[in-house]
Structures are given as structure tokens and as C-alpha cells.
Amino acid sequence: MSGMVGARRPIVAGNWKMNYGPTEAHDFLARILPDLEAIAGVDRVVCPPSISIAAAHALTSASGVMLGAQNMYDAEKGAFTGEISPLMLRGLCDYVILGHSERRALFGETDELVNRKALSAFAHGLRPIVCVGERLEDRDANLTERVITAQVRGSLANLPADRLNELVVAYEPIWAIGTGRAATTQDARDVIAIIRALLDELYGEAATAGVRVQYGGSVTAANAAELAAGPLIDGALVGGASLTADFVTITRAFAEAKQAR
Ligand code: PGA
């Protein structure tokens, strides 16, 4: 069964957003890396702004900590001013966050574009972390399932079924992002169960068993252990708290919860 407890290795990713240029990125990582490296049993991913990825890579390449980009374009090269190509990320990053709600809301990204990017990530050996999540208006109007269904069907169509263990989905309710108001563990699990059922419908349970679904939105050192404890939440996508050593505490909470199962 795809929701099986303990079947998947947790993944905790830090989305730095537009924080930490190359020098700051290097200094911050140097500070947290020894502690982050020491945590076993969980995939640890740091996602700096693209201009800081090379500086981060100089430190992480010899460690077990992986890098992710926060975005990329789907094309390999050409006249796309300001964009970053999968070829540029390959070799530096293992992961790439796609369709973050800030990209969708502030930069006009559609499910169709996010899908193209996800296909491009697979084609270039990058593991996509695809974000979905409803707005507060959607939740209040009981539209959460409808919105999530459209995002999953639109963003995650036509992926290579035999490589879905490379896919990470981040459930990030928009009302929980940067607000200090995390979803309850039960609400997060309910939506993640919907996401898993949709993936099963699209690709079959055998193919989706390895897909990891994270929760994101105001994850902190204080609430991480509870989110990590039960089934279905395979990790976290962490914004604000990933800019401090709290990221280490959060990562450790997921490692310990996994061990306890
Ligand atoms: P937050 O951001 O942890 O600051 O709420 C999460 C995200 O946007 O990925």
C-alpha cells in the first residue's frame, strides 16, 4: 500500500527563497553543515538562490547534504533572459523546486508550465520537488480537494512512471506559508492522502509507492516532531526556519521519527 508507514526515506529541504548571497550562503552552510551531516536516515537538501548554488556546492560536494535549486526553465539554452537551465543545474544540484506558490502567484506560473519543467527535470536527471497547495479562500469554500486535484493532474501529468521514486511532491497550503500558522497534522495528512490517491489513479500504486510527499508551511523546530511522527508526511519543505540552525533541529525530528517507527 502506498501510504505504508516507514516505507519511504524522509526528505527535509530548506527553501532559502531570496536570502543569502554567495558569501552569506557559504558562511551559513559552514556553520550548520557538521550538524546536518551527522543526521542519518533522512535526505537533507538545501536550496539556495541560484547565484549562491556554486558557493554552496564548494562546501556540500564532499558531504552527504544535497543541493536543490528553487526554480528553473524547461529549455536547455537560448534567448530566455534571466532564466536558469537544467543543464546549468546538473552537476551542482540533485533537486529542483518547481511550481512553488510564490512562483505561481507572483510570477504567473501555470500547471502547464510547471508540468513542462517537471518533464524537463526528469529528462535531465534532476529530481523535482513539485509544490501544490490551496489558498485560504479555497479551503473556506470547501474547494481544497478540487484545487489540489487540478494542480496534481495538471502539474504531474505524463511523468515517467518507472522513475517516480525520483519525484517529491510538497503539499504547501498557501495560508500556512510564512504566516506562523501551520496546518494541523491531521489537515496535512488528509490532503496528502488525496494527493497519493490521485497519483495512484494516474500511475498505479506500484509506481507511486516511492513518491515522497512533504508538508510545507510554517514548519518550525517546535512543530516538526509532531508533523514527523505519524504516517503519510514524508518530510518537510522549510522556508523561514531553514535560514537558521532550526533547520538542523527540524531535520533531526524527521530522522528520529523514522527511527521510532
Ligand atoms: P515557510 O515557507 O516555512 O516560511 O512557511 C515554506 C515554503 O514556502 O516553502
Side-chain angles (χ1 to χ4, degrees):
M1 172 186 136
S2 61
M4 198 161 58
V5 178
R8 290 174 290 272
R9 182 176 164 93
I11 174 168
V12 178
N15 173 11
W16 293 2
K17 308 192 179 183
M18 200 170 72
N19 297 285
Y20 294 163
T23 307
E24 297 164 294
H26 187 280
D27 292 352
F28 172 61
L29 263 182
R31 204 144 48 77
I32 65 164
L33 201 57
D35 288 338
L36 211 48
E37 263 205 277
I39 305 170
V42 50
D43 286 346
R44 297 140 294 167
V45 185
V46 175
C47 306
S50 53
I51 199 165
S52 302
I53 287 172
H57 186 258
L59 281 174
T60 57
S61 60
S63 81
V65 175
M66 294 176 279
L67 292 182
Q70 297 174 16
N71 180 33
M72 68 170 201
Y73 197 53
D74 64 310
E76 291 189 342
K77 63 176 183 173
F80 304 105
T81 302
E83 294 295 318
I84 306 286
S85 125
L87 294 181
M88 298 168 186
L89 296 178
R90 196 163 64 179
L92 292 171
C93 292
D94 290 291
Y95 287 89
V96 57
I97 299 170
L98 298 175
H100 188 278
S101 64
E102 286 150 19
R103 303 277 342 150
R104 292 173 184 265
L106 304 173
F107 303 100
E109 294 203 11
T110 61
D111 287 326
E112 190 263 328
L113 178 61
V114 176
N115 187 229
R116 267 167 40 210
K117 292 181 176 194
L119 290 166
S120 176
F122 272 102
H124 293 93
L126 293 161
R127 297 166 174 244
I129 300 175
V130 177
C131 305
V132 297
E134 82 285 2
R135 300 168 308 167
L136 190 56
E137 307 90 279
D138 302 326
R139 178 160 282 263
D140 287 346
N142 278 322
L143 293 174
T144 300
E145 179 158 4
R146 189 189 296 182
V147 168
I148 295 292
T149 300
Q151 288 177 343
V152 168
R153 286 190 195 285
S155 305
L156 300 174
N158 303 314
L159 303 181
D162 57 335
R163 288 173 58 202
L164 285 185
N165 57 348
E166 295 168 40
L167 171 68
V168 178
V169 180
Y171 168 54
E172 298 207 302
I174 294 174
W175 46 271
I177 294 178
T179 58
R181 179 187 163 197
T184 64
T185 304
Q186 193 54 52
D187 282 345
R189 281 191 204 140
D190 288 348
V191 178
I192 288 174
I194 292 170
I195 293 169
R196 295 211 76 91
L198 285 164
L199 289 171
D200 288 350
E201 205 180 293
L202 287 172
Y203 295 104
E205 278 190 28
T208 63
V211 177
R212 290 172 296 178
V213 186
Q214 300 172 310
Y215 167 77
S218 297
V219 176
T220 64
N223 64 21
E226 195 198 324
L227 288 162
L232 284 170
I233 303 179
D234 300 322
L237 183 55
V238 186
S242 73
L243 298 172
T244 72
D246 284 0
F247 185 63
V248 176
T249 310
I250 292 166
T251 305
R252 204 175 279 132
F254 277 88
E256 282 167 5
K258 175 80 176 177
Q259 274 163 20
R261 279 176 199 170

